[in-house]
């Protein structure tokens, strides 16, 4: 299946290119970027910033302007690494023209007809694609993955939700790559922690409730879980670490929580990890440098699961924010769409 990457030269765009190298289902046919990059080879347009070399297959590919008119009709899925300001203009254009847009951009995630999907949690929410097409008159559609910090904790919350989860407090320690390659200067972050990330807390407090909600065939009824978040930027390169305090309807044992996480849903899709949630028993894990690449960067790693008394548990979890939290999440969503709808 031929695919394209929109915004291919940026940090998340490069992750898409890296993850799609030798993909068993998808073949890159189009790479798009801004007007300043259009017409150049990808090797000249993209300042490659990831470990391992740029894939040879894309080095001489000519970058196109980000427009549906510039992408072949043979392409079925496009992956959007565009910033929200551009994505809200461009993504509907592609959806109208019949493309499936697997989007990492934040705009419209909570709109009623927008599927916000983590395939291991709510694959049935893909049914919103039909609602979206009917309401907007599109031949294609847009599917969203969550914010990079929200997606780190949400699989663990989904595992605990059947145990009577009703309240969550979370404090994040988020890597600088989440702000993009030029997003945080060294003078801001070295020897420092920044206790604010614009709009991040709102996303963490709202997106998981939609993901955990019930789809009735027309809309999603959000889960009745209260979430309070405090987000911090820390001087790690990749890997968002989060500390959570959870309250339940009644006491939940540490072993029950671990069993729920270890037994959480896994999928037979190319980008899905063998284990969605990996539970560590060490007192000092998870750690970004040691654990962010677990499951090829697609697993969530949980640890320090402790009884906090009064029907509460506390624990830490971590994921690779540009793989599971961004490009990898969109690729997994596209695999789910390809398996079930195309």
């Amino acid at each position: 299946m031929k695919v394209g990457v929109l915004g291919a030269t940026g940090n998340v765009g490069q992750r898409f290119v890296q993850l799609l190298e030798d993909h068993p289902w998808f073949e890159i046919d189009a790479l798009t970027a801004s007007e300043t990059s259009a017409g150049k080879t990808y090797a000249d347009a993209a300042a490659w910033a990831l470990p391992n070399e740029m894939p040879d297959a894309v080095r001489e590919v000519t970058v196109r302007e980000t427009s549906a008119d510039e992408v072949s009709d043979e392409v079925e899925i496009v992956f959007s690494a565009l910033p929200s300001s551009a994505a809200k203009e461009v993504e509907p254009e592609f959806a109208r023209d019949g493309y499936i847009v697997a989007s990492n951009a934040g705009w419209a995630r909570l709109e009623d007809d927008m599927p916000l999907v983590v395939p291991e949690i709510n694959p049935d929410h893909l049914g919103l694609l039909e609602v979206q097409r009917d309401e907007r008159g599109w031949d294609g559609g847009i599917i969203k993955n969550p914010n990079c910090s929200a997606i780190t904790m949400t699989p663990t919350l989904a595992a605990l939700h059947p145990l009577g989860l009703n309240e969550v407090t979370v404090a994040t320690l988020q890597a600088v790559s989440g702000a993009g390659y030029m997003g945080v200067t060294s003078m801001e972050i070295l020897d420092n922690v920044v206790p604010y990330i614009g709009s991040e807390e709102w996303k963490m407090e709202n997106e998981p409730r939609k993901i955990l909600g019930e789809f009735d065939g027309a809309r999603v009824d959000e889960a009745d879980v209260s979430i309070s978040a405090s987000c911090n930027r820390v001087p790690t390169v990749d890997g968002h670490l989060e500390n959570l305090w959870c309250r339940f309807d009644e006491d939940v044992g540490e072993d029950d929580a671990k069993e729920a996480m270890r037994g959480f849903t896994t999928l037979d899709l190319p980008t899905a990890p063998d284990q969605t949630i990996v539970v560590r028993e060490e007192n000092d894990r998870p750690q970004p440098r040691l654990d962010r690449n677990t499951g090829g960067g697609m697993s969530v790693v949980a640890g320090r699961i402790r009884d906090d008394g009064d029907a509460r548990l506390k624990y830490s979890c971590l994921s690779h924010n540009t793989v599971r939290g961004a490009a990898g999440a969109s690729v997994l969503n596209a695999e789910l769409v390809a398996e079930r709808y195309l």
Side-chain angles (χ1 to χ4, degrees), residues 22-283:
D22 299 324
H23 192 283
W25 296 2
F26 303 144
E27 177 187 0
I28 293 177
D29 183 77
L31 300 172
T32 82
S34 65
E35 292 180 4
T36 57
S37 296
K40 298 179 181 178
T41 65
Y42 188 66
D44 289 336
W48 193 255
L50 300 182
N52 303 322
E53 294 295 321
M54 178 185 291
D56 289 338
V58 298
R59 294 186 64 86
E60 300 304 316
V61 172
T62 300
V63 176
R64 310 175 192 183
E65 289 189 34
T66 303
S67 167
D69 294 335
E70 295 291 324
V71 176
S72 167
D73 291 340
E74 295 181 1
V75 170
E76 296 187 60
I77 297 173
V78 292
F79 297 98
S80 175
L82 299 170
S84 282
S85 57
K88 66 183 179 182
E89 303 296 331
V90 171
E91 290 177 0
E93 172 193 346
F94 278 86
R96 281 193 299 270
D97 282 11
Y99 299 93
I100 295 294
V101 182
S103 171
N104 183 66
W107 80 281
R109 284 180 181 142
L110 297 183
E111 291 188 8
D112 286 344
D113 64 350
M114 190 65 65
L116 179 63
V117 174
V118 178
E120 296 94 339
I121 300 173
N122 61 338
D124 61 310
H125 289 201
L126 280 184
L128 283 173
L129 282 174
E130 296 303 325
V131 177
Q132 186 185 94
R133 288 168 172 171
D134 290 342
E135 293 188 351
R136 305 195 186 214
W138 291 346
D139 292 327
I142 301 173
I143 178 174
K144 296 282 183 175
N145 56 267
N147 169 266
C148 56
S149 55
I151 202 172
T152 297
M153 69 176 181
T154 303
T156 65
L157 300 183
L160 298 175
H161 193 224
L163 302 180
L165 178 69
N166 60 54
E167 184 179 325
V168 177
T169 302
V170 56
T172 71
L173 297 90
Q174 295 182 221
V176 294
S177 59
Y181 189 72
M182 300 296 289
V184 183
T185 68
S186 59
M187 287 294 288
E188 288 177 276
I189 200 62
L190 291 177
D191 189 34
N192 200 24
V193 172
V194 181
Y196 173 74
I197 304 172
S199 75
E200 201 83 354
E201 291 164 357
W202 184 88
K203 295 172 185 176
M204 290 197 72
E205 292 169 353
N206 288 278
E207 291 180 10
R209 296 193 298 122
K210 181 175 181 179
I211 297 163
L212 297 174
E214 296 290 332
F215 176 55
D216 65 8
R219 64 183 304 277
V220 173
D221 293 322
E222 293 186 349
D224 186 18
V225 178
S226 171
I227 303 175
S228 179
S230 181
C231 296
N232 306 271
R233 187 74 72 193
V234 300
T236 52
V237 176
D238 293 311
H240 289 353
L241 176 63
E242 302 176 358
N243 300 313
L244 292 94
W245 295 260
C246 297
R247 186 185 295 274
F248 298 83
D249 296 334
E250 56 187 36
D251 286 340
V252 173
E254 296 174 9
D255 290 340
D256 291 333
K258 291 176 183 178
E259 181 180 356
M261 290 188 191
R262 288 192 172 112
F264 191 64
T265 305
T266 58
L267 297 175
D268 186 20
L269 293 172
T271 302
D274 292 336
Q275 193 166 354
T276 303
I277 305 172
V278 174
V279 177
R280 306 287 311 209
E281 296 287 354
E282 301 93 329
N283 288 332

